[in-house]
Amino acid sequence: MTQPFALGGNILRINLADRAVTIEPTAPLNARFPAGMGVNNWLLLNETPLGKEPLDPDNPLIFTAGSLVGTMVPTACRMTISCKNVLTGGFGAANAGGNFAPELKYAGFDHIVVTGRAKVPVYIDIVDSNVTIIDADDLWGKTTWEAEKALRARIDRPTLELLSIGPAGENMAAAACIIVSRTRSASRCGVGAAMGSKSLKAIAVSGSGALHVAEPEAFMTESLAMQRYLMGVDTTKNLRKFGTSTSFEAWNKLGSIPVRNYQATQIDLDEADAIATAVKEKHYIEKAFGCFACPVMCSQYQRVKAGPHAGTRGEKVESQDYWDFGGELGISDPAAVLALSELCTQLGLDNTNATNPIAWALECFQRGLLSTDDTDGLELEWGNVEAISQLLAKIAYRDGFGSLLADGSLAAAEKLGRNSERFAMHMKGQDLAEEMRVFKGWALAIAVAERGGTHTQGGPLTERMPLEPDLSMQRFGVPTAFDPTSYEHKAELVIYYQRFHNLLEIMGICFYATYWCGLQMMGPEEAARLYSLATGDTKTAEELMAEGEKILYLQKAFNMRHTTFDRTSDYPPERFINEPATGPHAGERLERPDWDKLLDEYYSQRGWDLASGKPTPENFRTVGLPDLA
C-alpha cells in the first residue's frame, strides 16, 4: 500500500500480556477521520471495554503523533496520549511536545496502542518496523532522569528518543504523568498511572524513514514563510526571551491566580514581584531552545547558582508552575519553584494533579481538620518548601500520608470526611489547575471540558487581550471576546476555541504558535493551507473546524458510555459561587442564575438537551457520526 502523505502510515499494536506485536495500516481509519486525534479518539472509544476500572490493564493506552508532525510545519511536534481517565472514569488525554512524536513518524507509525500487563516490568524498543519488548527490572524504581540515562547508555543510536514514567507511575498515583524527551510532561488524567498499570517503564524509538507531502514545493515555501513570519512576531519574541512564565505577573495583576487552594485570586503584589523580577531579569535563564520545528522556542535552560537550591537545573518551567507552587501553595521563592518543578519531573508527577491535593491538605491543616498526627508529623503550612517537597515524594511512592493524597483531592476528601469535601477543588473529579471566578468564557470552557477541568479545550485567552469590539466581531463573530466579566456570547466563543484546539491537536501543532496565544499568529486559515498542501486532502478552515467539532463528539460519546456525567457535572466548585474574587475584580463570582443561563446558551448553541447537557441522536448524525446516534 502506498504510504499516505505526511503520515508514518501504520498503527502499532502491542499486547504486553502475551508480548504480541501487530502492525496495521492507518489508511482505513484515516479515510474517515483525520489522522492524529481523530483516529486516536475513535480507537479509544471503540476499544475501551465497558465496566472496567481505569487502571485495568485491558484498557488501551494510545500514543498518537499529529497528522502534520515530523514535517516542517511550525511546531508540528505534539503527541497526544489517551486512556480512560484515572481521576474521572471518563475521557482522558494528555499532550506533550519534544522530539519523540516526529521520531515515531519516521519509524513508520502514527499510533501505538498498548494493552495488557507485562508479567515483569518492561520497556518497548522501536527501530523502524522492528519492535522489541525488553525486561526492565533494573529500571523499575528509577526516576525518569535515571531511567533515561541508563537507556541512553544501553542504546547507542544517534536519533534515539525516549518517554518514561517515574515512581509515581509505577505506584499508579493519579497524579502520575509521562515524561517525554526528558523534560516534556504529558500531564493530567493519570496517563502515567495507566502506563504503570501495564508494567511499562519506557518506550524508545528511532526511525530512518521519511515523510512525503502532496505538494512538496508549495508546502516548503508556505512552511518556511510561516516559520520566518512567526519568528518576527512580538508574542514569539517575548516567549523566546522569558518562556511562558512571562505571563504570570499579568495574570496575577488581573486577579486570576489560584491562591492558597482558591481562597483568594491574587498573590500579594510584593511576593508576586519577587517571582516576576526573577523572570524578567533572567536570574536563572541561561539559554532558550525549542521542540522539533519550533520557531517560538519558549523553553529555557535554567540553573540556580546560589542559595539553598543551588545546583538545581531545569529545562521547562512554565507559568503554570508559578500558579501551582507560587499561588496554590504560597511559595514566593522562584528558585524553590524551579526545584519543586524539577522534582516533579524526576518523580513523574503532573504538577497540578500533585499540588492540588497538597493545597487541599494545607487548607484542612489551616482549619484544624488535619493535625500532625495525620500528616506523618509534617507541619502543613503555606509556603513550607521542605514539607511540600516531602509530600511530593510521599505521593509518588504512596508513602504514609501521601497515600491519602495520591488519588487526588476528591478521593482524599471522601476518605477523610470531616466536612473536608468543600475544600476539594475539582471538575468531574479531576483536580483543578485554574481560577474561574473572573473570566467567564475561561470558566465555561474549564467546566464543560470532557476530560475534566482544563483550559486547553476551549479556554479563550482573548479575555485578557486588549481587543476592540469591531476586531472581536471580525475574528470571532461576537463583540465580547475581550470582556472578562461578561457572560454575553461566551458560549459561542468557547465553542469556537474548542473546535480550534481540537483542529490543532489533529495536526499536532503547538498552541503557542497560534492565535490562541496571540492574534497575530497562526489561525485556522493558515493551518488549513498547510494541512491541504501536506496531505493532499484539500480542506477549508471551516471544514477543519468541523473536524474539530467531531473530535469533541467522540469525547462526549466516551463519557456517555463510561460515566454518569450530566448537566450537574458542568457546575463549578461551590467556592466559586459563594466566595468572591479578590484583587482588581474583587466581588466577582459565578452567580448561579447567570451560570444556568450560560450553560443553557452553550447547550442550545450545540442543539443539545438542556436538562441533561447531552447531545441528541440527531446531533451525532449531523456531525458525521451516525453509527453513534
Side-chain angles (χ1 to χ4, degrees):
M1 181 179 291
T2 304
Q3 180 181 340
F5 290 122
L7 298 184
N10 296 292
I11 299 170
L12 172 62
R13 292 183 177 275
I14 302 172
N15 186 327
L16 291 175
D18 56 14
R19 299 200 175 199
V21 176
T22 58
I23 297 172
E24 63 189 52
T26 309
L29 281 176
N30 187 216
R32 185 172 182 189
F33 304 100
M37 196 62 164
V39 172
N40 172 302
N41 282 10
W42 181 256
L43 291 170
L44 185 71
L45 176 64
N46 284 278
E47 299 185 13
T48 301
L50 290 172
K52 299 281 189 179
E53 292 298 315
L55 292 176
D56 190 297
D58 288 344
N59 293 326
L61 177 65
I62 305 175
F63 301 81
T64 297
S67 58
L68 298 185
V69 164
T71 72
M72 286 306 296
V73 169
T75 72
C77 65
R78 307 292 297 188
M79 164 170 282
T80 297
I81 305 172
S82 298
C83 65
K84 192 170 190 178
N85 194 319
V86 175
L87 289 129
T88 73
F91 171 77
N95 195 277
N99 301 300
F100 186 97
E103 202 64 32
L104 183 66
K105 294 276 284 283
Y106 300 151
F109 299 107
D110 305 302
H111 310 270
I112 308 173
V113 182
V114 182
T115 54
R117 180 171 189 163
K119 294 180 176 64
V120 297
V122 298
Y123 72 91
I124 297 167
D125 191 22
I126 303 168
V127 186
D128 295 326
S129 60
N130 299 310
V131 181
T132 311
I133 301 169
I134 301 170
D135 289 356
D137 280 312
D138 60 321
L139 299 178
W140 205 253
K142 292 185 181 294
T143 68
T144 59
W145 286 6
E146 289 168 344
E148 171 152 336
K149 183 178 180 180
L151 284 170
R152 289 195 177 279
R154 183 178 307 172
I155 304 171
D156 184 18
R157 298 197 300 264
T159 60
L160 175 67
E161 287 296 330
L162 296 163
L163 61 78
S164 66
I165 57 171
E170 295 173 0
N171 292 294
M172 291 179 275
C177 65
I178 296 173
I179 297 299
V180 182
S181 299
R182 183 177 169 83
T183 56
R184 269 55 183 174
S185 173
S187 292
R188 313 294 274 155
C189 305
V191 293
M195 189 163 158
S197 74
K198 301 181 185 307
S199 294
L200 176 59
K201 178 64 176 180
I203 302 178
V205 63
S206 297
S208 61
L211 302 180
H212 303 280
V213 296
E215 304 281 350
E217 187 172 341
F219 172 76
M220 287 302 294
T221 299
E222 188 84 14
S223 295
L224 292 173
M226 183 56 66
Q227 291 268 4
R228 286 192 292 268
Y229 169 75
L230 287 173
M231 289 180 71
V233 172
D234 287 343
T235 301
T236 298
K237 292 176 181 178
N238 204 34
L239 285 168
R240 188 182 305 130
K241 191 172 183 181
F242 302 113
T244 63
S245 301
T246 187
S247 68
F248 167 78
E249 183 179 26
W251 278 91
N252 190 57
K253 285 182 177 178
L254 289 168
S256 194
I257 294 288
V259 179
R260 291 174 172 81
N261 200 34
Y262 300 86
Q263 294 182 70
T265 64
Q266 187 179 61
I267 298 173
D268 177 84
L269 294 180
D270 289 338
E271 291 182 10
D273 186 62
I275 294 172
T277 298
V279 173
K280 288 186 293 187
E281 295 184 0
K282 301 173 75 171
H283 289 180
Y284 308 112
I285 298 172
E286 296 195 348
K287 65 178 180 179
F289 63 100
C291 300
F292 176 89
C294 181
V296 179
M297 296 197 298
C298 71
S299 302
Q300 281 79 32
Y301 177 79
Q302 301 194 32
R303 184 158 62 99
V304 180
K305 298 178 182 177
H309 305 289
T312 297
R313 296 175 297 137
E315 296 182 9
K316 197 73 178 78
V317 178
E318 307 279 9
S319 182
Q320 185 72 52
D321 296 321
Y322 291 109
W323 293 9
D324 290 337
F325 295 108
E328 276 269 62
L329 303 184
I331 296 169
S332 57
D333 178 4
V337 171
L338 177 60
L340 292 169
S341 177
E342 291 313 302
L343 176 61
C344 284
T345 299
Q346 294 181 62
L347 293 173
L349 281 173
D350 163 9
N351 291 6
T352 295
N353 277 351
T355 57
N356 212 60
I358 291 175
W360 167 83
L362 266 60
E363 183 167 4
C364 288
F365 195 89
Q366 168 194 330
R367 298 181 183 277
L369 303 181
L370 287 171
S371 71
T372 52
D373 291 337
D374 304 297
T375 65
D376 302 335
L378 294 175
E379 293 283 346
L380 301 190
E381 297 172 344
W382 301 106
N384 185 336
V385 175
E386 179 55 34
I388 290 165
S389 178
Q390 290 186 51
L391 282 178
L392 291 171
K394 283 178 173 290
I395 289 171
Y397 290 98
R398 286 189 176 270
D399 172 39
F401 181 63
S403 64
L404 177 69
L405 306 181
D407 293 318
S409 62
L410 177 61
E414 289 173 342
K415 290 176 185 174
L416 179 67
R418 305 178 192 176
N419 203 24
S420 65
E421 291 90 342
R422 67 190 191 278
F423 305 127
M425 304 301 288
H426 68 92
M427 283 300 312
K428 299 179 175 68
Q430 175 144 246
D431 290 288
L432 266 178
E434 309 91 347
E435 166 55 38
M436 296 171 65
R437 277 165 281 206
V438 175
F439 296 88
K440 302 305 189 285
W442 181 259
L444 176 64
I446 292 161
V448 301
E450 298 304 327
R451 75 173 188 177
T454 178
H455 61 271
T456 55
Q457 291 188 332
L461 287 179
T462 54
E463 289 179 313
R464 67 182 188 90
M465 295 178 185
L467 300 181
E468 295 295 329
D470 288 348
L471 182 57
S472 177
M473 280 296 298
Q474 177 187 333
R475 290 294 185 98
F476 306 106
V478 302
T480 57
F482 62 93
D483 187 345
T485 60
S486 172
Y487 290 86
E488 297 299 317
H489 303 290
K490 292 302 171 65
E492 298 154 81
L493 185 65
V494 166
I495 290 170
Y496 174 93
Y497 269 112
Q498 286 175 328
R499 293 167 177 164
F500 185 47
H501 281 163
N502 285 335
L503 176 160
L504 297 173
E505 290 211 33
I506 287 169
M507 299 181 186
I509 293 174
C510 180
F511 292 179
Y512 291 142
T514 73
Y515 77 38
W516 179 66
C517 200
L519 291 188
Q520 69 275 51
M521 302 180 86
M522 197 169 11
E525 291 76 14
E526 291 83 3
R529 285 201 303 272
L530 290 164
Y531 178 86
S532 298
L533 292 170
T535 66
D537 179 18
T538 303
K539 289 188 181 296
T540 65
E542 291 74 19
E543 289 170 330
L544 280 172
M545 292 285 269
E547 294 291 348
E549 179 80 344
K550 191 184 294 184
I551 296 294
L552 183 134
Y553 271 82
L554 290 170
Q555 297 171 3
K556 193 74 175 179
F558 189 97
N559 282 343
M560 291 170 71
R561 282 187 178 176
H562 294 278
T563 76
T564 57
F565 294 158
D566 57 14
R567 181 185 176 109
T568 62
S569 308
D570 291 342
Y571 281 88
E574 285 293 320
R575 170 162 275 171
F576 296 156
I577 294 171
N578 298 326
E579 300 176 27
T582 59
H585 293 287
E588 279 292 328
R589 57 182 180 169
L590 299 176
E591 303 279 357
R592 189 173 291 275
D594 292 323
W595 191 259
D596 274 321
K597 182 181 176 183
L598 187 56
L599 284 183
D600 284 348
E601 290 177 1
Y602 175 75
Y603 301 144
S604 295
Q605 286 282 330
R606 294 193 172 283
W608 294 358
D609 178 69
L610 296 185
S612 67
K614 295 178 182 178
T616 66
E618 186 56 33
N619 293 142
F620 282 103
R621 294 188 188 97
T622 300
V623 299
L625 296 169
D627 39 352
L628 298 183

